[in-house]
Amino acid sequence: MKQRLRRSSAYWLLLASMAGLLVVLAGLLPGLACADFLPMGTGQLSWYTSQVDNTEHAYGIYVPAAPPPEGGHGYPAVFHGHGYGWGVSADFSEWQKQWAEGHGWVLININARGPNFYGGIGDVAVQEVVKDASLRFDLDPDRLYFTGVSMGGTGAYRQAVLHPDVFAAAAPVDGWTDYRLWHKKWYSRVDAPDAIEEFRRPLLESMSPLFWFDRLQWGALLCMISGRDTVVWPEEGLRMVRALQDAGDFDVQMVLNDNAGHGGSNDLQRIYQFFDSRRRLPNPTIFTISTTSLNYGKLYWGEVNRLHLLGVGGRLRVMARSRSVEALTSNLDEFRLALSTSPVAEAPTVEVWADGFPAYTGPPRALSFTALRSPRGELIGWTSAPVETAPAPVSLRKRAGLEGPLGEALEQPFLVAYGTTGDAEAVERHRREAEAFCRQWNDFNVHAQSVQARPESEVTPAELEQRSLVVFGTVESSRLLRSAYEQTPVPVEVREGEIVVRDTVRGDRHYRGAQFGAFLAYPNPLSDFCTYLVVCTGEWATHADGTARLGLGYDLEKLPWAYPDYVIFNTDQAQLPWVKNVNDKPPVTCYEAAYFVEAGYFDQQWRTDALQEPARYDYQRPQGVKRLHVGETKQDGAGARAKVVDELGQPVAAARVTVDLGDAARSAVTDEQGWAVFRPAGPGDFTVLNVMATGALYDWRLDVLSHSGWAQQGLAVRPSQFVTALQGGEAGEVQVQVANLGAAARTVAVELLPPSGRLQPAVQQLRLAPGETQTAAFWWHPHDLPPGRYPLVAQVSDAAATLSRTLLAEIGPPAPRLVVMGVQVEHPLGLNQLVVKAQLANAGAQTATEALAGYVMGLGLALPPRQVQAAPGTPVSLEWRVALPAGSEGHYEARVYVQSPGGSTKTCAFTLP
């Protein structure tokens, strides 16, 4: 049943009388009826229905009796975000109402689902209110503003950065901008105040406006900072101001009140005056999109559609000139430009340059651009194609609205069900977990008992087509879940007493035991992958005595930055200790990540990719983060043991290690010497499933021994490079390292088993002294294998043991013959020109003739094609001289490239004083 706040009969009589008066006046004063029959000149509550969970919510609004300003497109409006908690109010101060009447402004108090900090479902609510109020109260789309204090200040920062195309200006007062401060202040573990769980880094960065400040180029920001604030440290606002000022060309102002405490800098008069002269720029010629989430990839007439490395921010900077558009990208594999609605829409022909490569020439239209990359991932060009007007066939690929993480599934229409086909105990457990989640969702996000858990038998096919399904159950206990798993191989399989992670790279991991639970979000096969399937099973203790067990609804405030695409947790406190949170505020009574034994993101095709997180670490190299691996395993009278060490071989304490003992999986925490001990240990071998630690990354590629049998057989096998990059059609070297862990010398045979092609040599013999490590090198010619990733099996054997390890080969397009070895840029003194020089070499066996061209990024200067002929091994130089446009001071980059498809390319960064 839909719930509303109780209203008195006097209110309804007043509303009826005012509505009648408005009807009469509407005929005399056209436009007065735009206020949706709310009495003008008074504050009232206005209600809307959220499409996410079909619940009703209110915002407070003051519509002035005065008309909107002349020359505009309706009423300017200020959205006010309240502080932490839940607040629905139509109260406005006398000064605010006088301003509204004097300037013809609408005032709105926004709740946005309470304590969500205007992110996640809170951001969805803000946009719902903007849409509802704009349609009903004739708001001017070019004059919408946002302000707030504390949590409302955080919302002002977030809305300004995420939606500069919606809000012309924002004035945050004492809000958060950088998770490295607010997470440490409020959410970090007592024993690790400066550390985070590495799987959370992309989520925390996405919630930090400081990381995406360059989106704000055409917005305006007034930062109100209280110097003695102990709730939100002043450095939160100061970091944002410094970033914008250092970048230059941003409309940012700061008011720093040195002696004010939290909220003491809220000066509405100064804020409203700042807003009064700001207007939205709806179609700029230059703008930047930076994001880790495709949901925020669309801005103005550009759109980020695919990141190259998931979890790392992507960036698209677009610059339109009279008949050309330049796009500069970072970590992108696909973007779109709506040229037909851009500032170059009237040009008969448009040239598009992407990262210095020619990407399109033709009439302005909507285009999609896809990156061309070498086997090592280097960008070697862009190709364009028209944007399809008809719906494309459904493909299982991450895209806006269906890319994860788990919290995103609860920002879209969803329903909650529980499995009913298991035994009575399982059905009762899932019903209890589902109802607990609904109760927590309603208490936190609705303040009414609206969302209800239903038995899955009541879910209709039409509902599955329209809404994401949050199902509490397992394959055995849920008919819907079983049907979904039958239709597609979901990479995390949730069973009764076992969670299975399907992984072609590391090998499947089986978390056997009733103590393991899981949450995951995946495209729903039952809706043709158009909505989400969220699978939930299990709860952990939130009290030190093992009571108060909660699951997905444990702390919904953290939902946007708590869970990646999937998490697996161990609920047994005898295996993993309870860890108290620093703030100890209900309902946050523990740091739930202490129970997580695996957490991660699916790849672009929604598959498990064990290389993804190590690759992100290699790219970002976050400061202070340890890289862990399993350095040793033992199995003796003391039990099964695994030692965790860092890159220097030093032991790591407080790491959570989970092992497969054959018949069951167990978790344990490492001691000061880095050992995790598991008792009782079975007679067979055991395998390390995963290692997790706060402030660290488990780089399984470095494992010397993650399987106890290796230690018993006295050998270790590891690739020198886990992924070997090869050019298509050419042979490449693959190396395998073998270590003798025993006390006696031994001779082993090393083989490499490729999927196809020719291998030289077929087998290598290594004579290993005790403790010695040697490398066996093979030359593999893959023949005509198309570009892609292929598994190679390295097998090591002697009379006593046979071990194998899978590694990967990444095959790309054929290698170019003419290679650009280097690029230089000179600015001759006294001349208004650039000199771009390129050095080339012929890497082939025959004379090569190629055309080279280039582009100076940021200045829009094309280097015309030049024909080059080079004999094998003969160096060649080229030179271009181009005139500089006026006012060219700044940092730029020049690119030279071979024009043939997949041709060689190099860049050179330079600065013009």
Side-chain angles (χ1 to χ4, degrees), residues 199 540 562-563 567-569 592-598 656 692:
F199 69 82
W540 59 81
Y563 305 105
V567 295
I568 299 169
F569 49 89
E592 80 285 352
Y595 300 118
F596 290 1
V597 294
E598 182 169 334
R656 302 186 298 281
M692 297 197 74

Side-chain angles (χ1 to χ4, degrees), residues 573-888:
Q573 285 183 275
Q575 297 180 34
L576 293 177
W578 181 83
V579 179
K580 188 173 183 178
N581 194 299
V582 66
N583 58 345
D584 199 23
K585 67 176 180 63
V588 183
T589 50
C590 76
Y591 196 81
E592 80 285 352
Y595 300 118
F596 290 1
V597 294
E598 182 169 334
Y601 302 86
F602 301 121
D603 69 7
Q604 297 279 15
Q605 284 74 44
W606 287 95
R607 302 167 304 193
T608 305
D609 186 353
L611 291 169
Q612 201 164 233
E613 191 164 356
R616 178 167 57 83
Y617 174 90
D618 293 341
Y619 183 88
Q620 293 183 307
R621 290 288 175 176
Q623 188 175 6
V625 176
K626 294 181 179 180
R627 189 156 59 145
L628 314 181
H629 64 278
V630 179
E632 189 176 353
T633 59
K634 290 183 179 180
Q635 193 166 16
D636 50 30
R641 292 183 286 165
K643 186 175 184 179
V644 178
V645 297
D646 62 18
E647 288 180 278
L648 300 178
Q650 297 301 307
V652 176
R656 302 186 298 281
V657 183
T658 304
V659 300
D660 184 354
L661 297 172
D663 59 341
R666 296 284 186 273
S667 300
V669 176
T670 56
D671 59 21
E672 292 298 323
Q673 287 72 47
W675 286 102
V677 182
F678 306 89
R679 296 189 182 92
D685 299 337
F686 71 91
T687 302
V688 175
L689 296 174
N690 208 50
V691 179
M692 297 197 74
T694 303
L697 169 88
Y698 173 41
D699 194 341
W700 54 272
R701 300 172 302 178
L702 303 178
D703 282 351
V704 176
L705 294 169
S706 60
H707 189 281
S708 62
W710 294 359
Q712 294 171 0
Q713 297 175 33
L715 288 175
V717 184
R718 60 187 294 188
S720 298
Q721 288 183 315
F722 193 84
V723 180
T724 300
L726 302 174
Q727 298 284 354
E730 295 191 1
E733 187 180 47
V734 182
Q735 296 183 346
V736 179
Q737 291 181 343
V738 183
N740 180 3
L741 307 175
R746 62 198 302 178
T747 299
V748 297
V750 185
E751 295 179 85
L752 191 64
L753 308 177
S756 68
R758 187 175 71 254
L759 195 71
Q760 292 177 323
V763 181
Q764 288 204 51
Q765 300 287 333
L766 299 180
R767 175 70 177 175
L768 299 171
E772 184 182 8
T773 298
Q774 291 189 30
T775 299
F778 300 86
W779 280 92
W780 176 44
H781 195 301
H783 291 320
D784 297 327
L785 282 179
R789 180 180 289 179
Y790 296 91
L792 307 173
V793 178
Q795 185 169 286
V796 180
S797 60
D798 63 4
T802 298
L803 301 177
S804 63
R805 177 108 183 229
T806 300
L807 53 149
L808 298 175
E810 189 82 41
I811 299 178
R817 291 179 297 168
L818 198 62
V819 178
V820 182
M821 305 300 295
V823 177
Q824 293 176 306
V825 178
E826 298 175 359
H827 181 211
L829 189 64
L831 296 180
N832 192 32
Q833 64 177 213
L834 283 182
V835 179
V836 181
K837 299 179 179 180
Q839 297 79 43
L840 306 103
N842 184 351
Q846 298 178 344
T847 299
T849 302
E850 298 276 9
L852 279 87
Y855 192 82
V856 183
M857 292 174 271
L859 292 174
L861 301 175
L863 308 179
R866 305 278 293 275
Q867 199 80 6
V868 174
Q869 186 177 72
T874 303
V876 178
S877 296
L878 274 185
E879 180 179 295
W880 288 268
R881 290 179 178 265
V882 290
L884 280 173
S888 298

Side-chain angles (χ1 to χ4, degrees), residues 329-595:
T329 76
S330 175
N331 191 41
L332 296 190
D333 275 349
E334 186 180 317
F335 67 91
R336 291 183 183 181
L337 297 177
L339 300 178
S340 54
T341 57
S342 75
V344 298
E346 301 303 319
T349 302
V350 177
E351 288 185 341
V352 178
W353 297 80
D355 294 316
F357 296 104
Y360 172 77
T361 300
R365 59 198 302 187
L367 294 168
S368 177
F369 297 85
T370 303
L372 304 174
R373 294 189 178 273
S374 72
R376 293 176 178 84
E378 301 126 334
L379 184 68
I380 57 175
W382 287 90
T383 182
S384 63
V387 174
E388 297 289 342
T389 55
V394 174
S395 62
L396 198 56
R397 198 189 86 177
K398 288 196 169 184
R399 58 187 186 272
L402 202 69
E403 64 167 329
L406 191 149
E408 182 185 271
L410 300 177
E411 298 170 18
Q412 303 174 13
F414 70 87
L415 59 89
V416 180
Y418 57 89
T420 58
T421 61
D423 58 40
E425 187 279 330
V427 172
E428 173 60 21
R429 183 175 74 253
H430 298 318
R431 181 193 63 79
R432 186 181 67 251
E433 292 175 357
E435 289 180 349
F437 168 75
C438 291
R439 182 170 60 252
Q440 290 146 13
W441 178 272
N442 289 329
D443 290 346
F444 196 83
N445 284 321
V446 186
H447 280 212
Q449 298 308 306
S450 299
V451 178
Q452 302 294 326
R454 299 153 54 188
E456 63 181 0
S457 57
E458 295 181 3
V459 177
T460 67
E463 288 177 311
L464 289 176
E465 290 291 329
Q466 300 165 2
R467 297 176 117 25
S468 293
L469 172 65
V470 182
V471 59
F472 288 78
T474 64
V475 171
E476 293 85 353
S477 65
S478 168
R479 172 184 56 83
L480 292 176
L481 189 54
R482 188 161 55 252
S483 177
Y485 276 97
E486 288 171 353
Q487 291 191 34
T488 193
V490 179
V492 177
E493 197 169 326
V494 180
R495 297 186 170 277
E496 286 292 329
E498 182 181 25
I499 312 295
V500 184
V501 180
R502 303 296 184 192
D503 190 336
T504 58
V505 175
R506 280 185 61 198
D508 293 351
R509 294 179 290 285
H510 295 260
Y511 293 87
R512 299 181 178 92
Q515 74 271 30
F516 292 103
F519 306 144
L520 70 105
Y522 189 83
N524 192 353
L526 305 180
S527 67
D528 200 18
F529 308 109
C530 292
T531 61
Y532 275 107
L533 171 67
V534 179
V535 186
C536 307
T537 183
E539 296 175 317
W540 59 81
T542 60
H543 287 175
D545 61 3
T547 62
R549 291 186 170 265
L550 297 173
L552 185 60
Y554 151 70
D555 186 7
L556 293 169
E557 175 185 311
K558 298 204 297 291
L559 186 61
W561 50 267
Y563 305 105
D565 294 348
Y566 74 94
V567 295
I568 299 169
F569 49 89
N570 189 334
T571 66
D572 189 342
Q573 285 183 275
Q575 297 180 34
L576 293 177
W578 181 83
V579 179
K580 188 173 183 178
N581 194 299
V582 66
N583 58 345
D584 199 23
K585 67 176 180 63
V588 183
T589 50
C590 76
Y591 196 81
E592 80 285 352
Y595 300 118

